[in-house]
Amino acid sequence: MAERPGRTEVLMRQAQVVATRSTCTRAQVGVVIAHAGRVVSQGYNGAPAGMPHCDHTCHCGVARGAAPVCSPGCRFIKAGGWHSPDCAFEVWSNYEAHDGDCPAETIGCQTAVHAEANAIAFAARHGVATDNAALYTTLSPCLACSQLIINAGITRVYMLAEYRDNAGVELLRKAGVGILPWSFPA
């Protein structure tokens, strides 16, 4: 018989499942907020309700060997969808310069609501208390989400992976929120 998983493992696995609902093509993040080991709210990152999903696929055309085109919704798209030189997105002239520097990969999402914010907003909208709760996330919180976590009264954050910028984690530490990096048992 398999060993019974602990609450932290179960809640982190639930956060992973919630992340699969994400509509953002850049990163799929899931969050579970729990009181005494019981889920009280959850959230994933994605566009605001009723809005088009975020799209971080490359539209430069360089990777496909075609002429560059703007990202969907760009106000500088010329007739036929060709990239205009007035667009804020730099057009890469060769694949080597493009590789890893495509705006689709390097510019943060301007559409998605982060998973932490969605979970906290759901709790607030439905009158669910988050004071003294624990938050389980598949990716450590950014600075703005950390500010929300502090003001929501959440006292512990379990995180599966670290975000590239640790300013949010540092703010949580300064505020006395318990930071608990976590990994699944082998």
Side-chain angles (χ1 to χ4, degrees), residues 109-123:
C109 185
Q110 304 299 306
T111 306
V113 178
H114 289 188
E116 300 90 340
N118 273 326
I120 292 168
F122 179 87

Side-chain angles (χ1 to χ4, degrees), residues 7-41:
R7 284 186 180 174
T8 301
E9 181 177 350
V10 168
L11 292 165
M12 193 59 80
R13 288 198 188 280
Q14 286 177 308
Q16 285 183 306
V17 169
V18 170
T20 66
R21 291 278 303 144
S22 172
T23 60
C24 184
T25 59
R26 187 164 186 246
Q28 291 190 308
V29 181
V31 162
V32 167
I33 299 175
H35 271 294
R38 308 267 185 204
V39 176
V40 296
S41 187

Side-chain angles (χ1 to χ4, degrees), residues 46-184:
M51 303 292 295
H53 299 312
C54 7
D55 179 10
H56 297 283
T57 54
C58 174
H59 295 282
C60 296
V62 176
R64 293 187 304 264
V69 295
C70 294
S71 296
C74 174
R75 67 177 192 256
F76 297 111
I77 290 181
K78 290 182 177 179
W82 298 105
H83 182 81
S84 166
D86 298 325
C87 181
F89 291 104
E90 186 173 343
V91 179
W92 307 104
S93 60
N94 62 56
Y95 187 78
E96 289 75 31
H98 175 270
D99 190 30
D101 291 323
C102 176
E105 297 173 11
T106 59
I107 295 176
C109 185
Q110 304 299 306
T111 306
V113 178
H114 289 188
E116 300 90 340
N118 273 326
I120 292 168
F122 179 87
R125 189 173 189 179
H126 295 282
V128 177
T130 56
D131 203 35
N132 294 313
L135 185 141
Y136 300 80
T137 181
T138 58
L139 186 64
S140 63
C142 70
L143 183 60
C145 287
S146 292
Q147 293 166 334
L148 290 173
I149 289 166
I150 293 164
N151 283 352
I154 294 168
T155 57
R156 291 171 317 287
V157 174
Y158 295 84
M159 53 192 198
L160 195 54
E162 290 189 40
Y163 183 59
R164 68 181 180 275
D165 179 359
N166 70 347
V169 171
E170 291 306 315
L171 179 66
L172 291 171
R173 280 194 177 106
K174 287 179 188 173
V177 174
I179 303 297
L180 303 143
W182 199 80
S183 59
F184 288 105

